[in-house]
Amino acid sequence: MTAVTTKRGQLTCWVRCLLGAATLAWAANSSALELRSGYQVISEAESKTLPWTTGGIVPGNKPGWYYSTNMVPFLGYGQVGTVLVSAAPLATGECVNMFPMASYDGYRGYEIAAGILVIPFGTMTGKMVLTAGTMNPSTNGGTFTPNANPGLNVTSSASWDKFGTGSGDLSTRSDCFGVGTTYTVANAVVEMNTDGGTQAVIGYGVYVKPGTAKMPTKTVYLQAARGYRWNATPSTFDVRTFALTWSGMDCTLSTDASIPFGDITPADVGTPGGISVASTLDMNCSNPSGNAIPVSYSVVPKTQAGDHYSVPLMSETQNGTVNGDVRGFLGATASADAGCVDKGSSMPMDGTKTSLRTVTTGTSWSDPLVWVLCPSAAAAPGPAKATVTLDLNW
């Protein structure tokens, strides 16, 4: 311990009520995913390459290219890529046969039922290479002749946040998510094998408007594709299939957002039981479905990870110095168990989901919650902090 006699320690607990991160199977899930009120991620962003194909029709003297007399709108619609949500698998990347687009409460996405939006988020980027000219005849096997009009060699990119707000080279269509490319020449050929295709890092969230009527189980298909209309090969798609249901289940929690441990002195090091601060975890759940739905919690470190049952309290003045470990104890035996060793009421601090209750109707409860700081003899003087997120899962 240093000669400085006081240290300050604090645990900041960011409280959220989220379903939690889940990347589900590519095939349809055997059981429905129960949605919750508000926003949740149902599939984390995944990196994919969405390749071009040679297309169904190409000029005979330009293999691997596709000719069109109406290039401008198709490029603007989303030739680089589209992200679609539909009730059935789609054969192409064209913006048809999708759920309608809707916006409310600051969120924009595909409306799978009144009050429920599926919202793609992430980034798509791809290059477009075009040569202006005409083909005669403009059918299979014609001869393409370039002209003096400007061609194109450009990379287009668009991003969408978890509210569904887009930025960058957005599609000119308002009914779907896509990457648009600006071009001014109608007659041209577009290369169908440009640098391997489009790079996409796309995930999906769901927003349920509070008070929304319940939705029976519904299967939705989430698809990202390279190309608009012409790229019709199913293997070019990143397809994720989910069975979703909304029973009206909703839970909220209340607990202290900041836990001050106060000034720590050398005499506190090795104190049996550490330095404890009592709190409570107050829960309120509604479940109009009447189905038995288990509710669990998980604690995720936001500063530096520790072990299964603790997170390090990090010095704010000396990078990398651990001033102690913070533990949490939850439930009826929390006060008796609280200390610097693992007990039955110890809270996992590494994201492990831990059961709270099974909810079948509206119910509220309050559980004792005790946070404990176990100071380190090698602590640095000055303030120290640990930050965690406490998530609800159901």
Side-chain angles (χ1 to χ4, degrees):
M1 202 70 171
T2 65
V4 178
T5 58
T6 60
K7 323 286 187 289
R8 294 190 302 278
Q10 175 175 286
L11 173 75
T12 301
C13 178
W14 290 358
V15 180
R16 296 189 302 181
C17 304
L18 298 180
L19 177 73
T23 302
L24 303 185
W26 291 92
N29 302 321
S30 58
S31 60
L33 174 63
E34 177 70 38
L35 299 175
R36 62 167 299 275
S37 180
Y39 179 83
Q40 65 194 78
V41 174
I42 63 169
S43 186
E44 292 289 352
E46 295 185 13
S47 179
K48 299 285 182 178
T49 298
L50 311 173
W52 272 109
T53 64
T54 57
I57 303 173
V58 294
N61 64 326
K62 274 197 171 293
W65 293 64
Y66 188 92
Y67 174 76
S68 175
T69 60
N70 196 26
M71 191 67 72
V72 174
F74 288 145
L75 290 181
Y77 289 167
Q79 189 67 38
V80 167
T82 52
V83 189
L84 312 175
V85 179
S86 60
L90 299 176
T92 76
E94 194 167 354
C95 299
V96 293
N97 301 319
M98 307 165 303
F99 289 108
M101 195 69 62
S103 299
Y104 34 80
D105 298 343
Y107 292 87
R108 174 178 178 263
Y110 295 95
E111 189 176 47
I112 64 171
I116 302 178
L117 302 177
V118 174
I119 306 171
F121 63 87
T123 301
M124 297 184 80
T125 300
K127 182 182 284 189
M128 296 301 301
V129 177
L130 293 95
T131 302
T134 57
M135 190 169 73
N136 185 28
S138 58
T139 57
N140 243 354
T143 298
F144 177 77
T145 303
N147 59 32
N149 289 324
L152 191 71
N153 188 328
V154 65
T155 297
S156 299
S157 179
S159 297
W160 300 271
D161 62 20
K162 293 185 179 182
F163 291 90
T165 301
S167 60
D169 303 311
L170 298 175
S171 168
T172 56
R173 297 184 65 113
S174 61
D175 59 344
C176 67
F177 284 53
V179 183
T181 301
T182 301
Y183 193 50
T184 59
V185 178
N187 296 349
V189 290
V190 56
E191 185 179 351
M192 301 296 283
N193 275 298
T194 302
D195 291 351
T198 290
Q199 301 298 314
V201 184
I202 298 295
Y204 297 90
V206 174
Y207 178 71
V208 179
K209 186 179 180 68
T212 293
K214 65 182 180 181
M215 178 188 73
T217 299
K218 180 172 293 189
T219 299
V220 297
Y221 296 83
L222 320 175
Q223 303 183 199
R226 168 73 198 227
Y228 185 89
R229 177 170 291 188
W230 301 319
N231 199 25
T233 304
S235 64
T236 65
F237 286 91
D238 170 10
V239 183
R240 307 178 209 182
T241 308
F242 292 87
L244 305 175
T245 188
W246 163 243
S247 65
M249 173 77 168
D250 191 21
C251 289
T252 59
L253 65 82
S254 177
T255 191
D256 293 323
S258 183
I259 309 296
F261 292 105
D263 291 337
I264 312 302
T265 70
D268 294 313
V269 176
T271 300
I275 299 163
S276 64
V277 177
S279 183
T280 59
L281 182 67
D282 302 315
M283 297 288 304
N284 181 39
C285 292
S286 63
N287 181 11
S289 72
N291 299 325
I293 299 176
V295 178
S296 63
Y297 74 88
S298 54
V299 179
V300 180
K302 303 300 288 185
T303 44
Q304 181 166 311
D307 61 20
H308 184 51
Y309 286 119
S310 69
V311 293
L313 192 75
M314 306 302 299
S315 169
E316 293 190 291
T317 60
Q318 294 191 22
N319 254 354
T321 299
V322 177
N323 278 15
D325 292 314
V326 178
R327 296 168 171 267
F329 298 83
L330 180 66
T333 63
S335 295
D337 290 347
C340 297
V341 296
D342 301 341
K343 291 292 182 69
S345 65
S346 293
M347 299 172 68
M349 308 289 272
D350 57 0
T352 301
K353 293 182 180 179
T354 305
S355 176
L356 277 172
R357 304 281 174 91
T358 296
V359 176
T360 57
T361 185
T363 183
S364 299
W365 71 91
S366 181
D367 286 331
L369 172 59
V370 181
W371 296 102
V372 177
L373 169 62
C374 303
S376 168
K385 189 175 184 179
T387 302
V388 299
T389 298
L390 178 58
D391 292 344
L392 289 186
N393 313 277
W394 62 86

